Amino acid sequence: MLEFMNPQQFDQVFSIMEHSFPIDEYRTYAEQKCLLDNPKYKLYTLPDTQNSQISAFVSIWQFSDFAYIEHFAVSAAARCQGLGSSILNEIKHILSCQICLEVELPKTDLAKRRIAFYKRNGFALNDYPYIQPALSKGRHPLPLLLMTTDGTITPDRFAYIKTTLYQHVYNISPSDINTYLG
């Protein structure tokens, strides 16, 4: 069962993040920790009660009519046990709104498997051009795709979600947002 992250667990969460994502897909330690003060940002953990460790975590941005899963990872020791699907089902129940997340382009076997996993768990792939802005200084923007619950989305809904993410998650100023909206 998921729990809100206890601030003392942040180091464990960040360690899982570092081992689960390429460096361009997460912020620096200090920047990531600062997000804990943002009321739109929530971190949930799945504790492993046998060893006081975290088995998995999911970070979510909650907006008025949708939620964005920014990071979702299962620790290496807890993989291949069906935890990912269980966590997604629980998150869908907790949020009861449309959920979106970013995935890599389906160019590698791993990216294709990840997309298939999300499809099996009720997400649809939206084939609109999307760039994740650089998360930190020295990091790079990434071409990604958005997946959403409740089926594929219209171009207008995509533009709305993309603009919301750029403004609130990536802190792109309104004057610079057109650079990414293309």
Side-chain angles (χ1 to χ4, degrees):
M1 185 131 239
L2 291 173
E3 302 174 350
F4 281 115
M5 185 196 75
N6 177 323
Q8 287 79 26
Q9 296 173 315
F10 181 77
D11 287 352
Q12 284 184 58
V13 167
F14 193 78
S15 178
I16 294 170
M17 190 179 293
E18 284 181 302
H19 290 95
S20 300
F21 295 94
I23 194 163
D24 287 328
E25 292 185 18
Y26 62 92
R27 294 167 186 80
T28 65
Y29 178 92
E31 291 168 329
Q32 203 69 47
K33 194 165 188 175
C34 280
L35 291 178
L36 301 178
D37 294 328
N38 188 316
K40 290 179 174 26
Y41 183 81
K42 303 285 184 242
L43 252 166
Y44 295 88
T45 60
L46 181 67
D48 180 342
T49 53
Q50 293 179 356
N51 63 15
S52 301
Q53 296 295 308
I54 294 171
S55 295
F57 79 92
V58 59
S59 63
I60 298 171
W61 290 83
Q62 182 72 54
F63 301 105
S64 61
D65 63 341
F66 76 95
Y68 163 61
I69 296 176
E70 183 172 43
H71 293 105
F72 171 42
V74 176
S75 70
R79 290 187 187 139
C80 300
Q81 299 175 24
L83 292 178
S85 293
S86 295
I87 290 168
L88 284 177
N89 284 329
E90 188 173 346
I91 288 296
K92 287 190 281 186
H93 178 75
I94 290 169
L95 296 174
S96 66
C97 65
Q98 184 172 50
I99 302 169
C100 72
L101 53 82
E102 299 165 339
V103 292
E104 295 170 353
L105 301 177
K107 292 183 176 181
T108 65
D109 287 340
L110 180 60
K112 290 174 187 174
R113 284 196 314 269
R114 194 170 287 128
I115 290 167
F117 165 77
Y118 286 119
K119 283 182 176 180
R120 284 192 308 275
N121 284 281
F123 286 80
L125 186 64
N126 295 280
D127 196 24
Y128 300 111
Y130 179 82
I131 300 290
Q132 174 193 285
L135 286 169
S136 296
K137 187 176 180 169
R139 308 261 167 108
H140 303 94
L142 298 171
L144 300 172
L145 293 171
L146 288 183
M147 295 188 78
T148 51
T149 56
D150 305 328
T152 56
I153 54 178
T154 65
D156 286 344
R157 178 73 174 165
F158 174 76
Y160 167 74
I161 289 172
K162 185 176 177 179
T163 299
T164 301
L165 295 178
Y166 283 1
Q167 287 178 336
H168 298 284
V169 174
Y170 300 111
N171 295 312
I172 304 295
S173 69
S175 61
D176 292 335
I177 208 160
N178 287 333
T179 303
Y180 293 97
L181 290 178

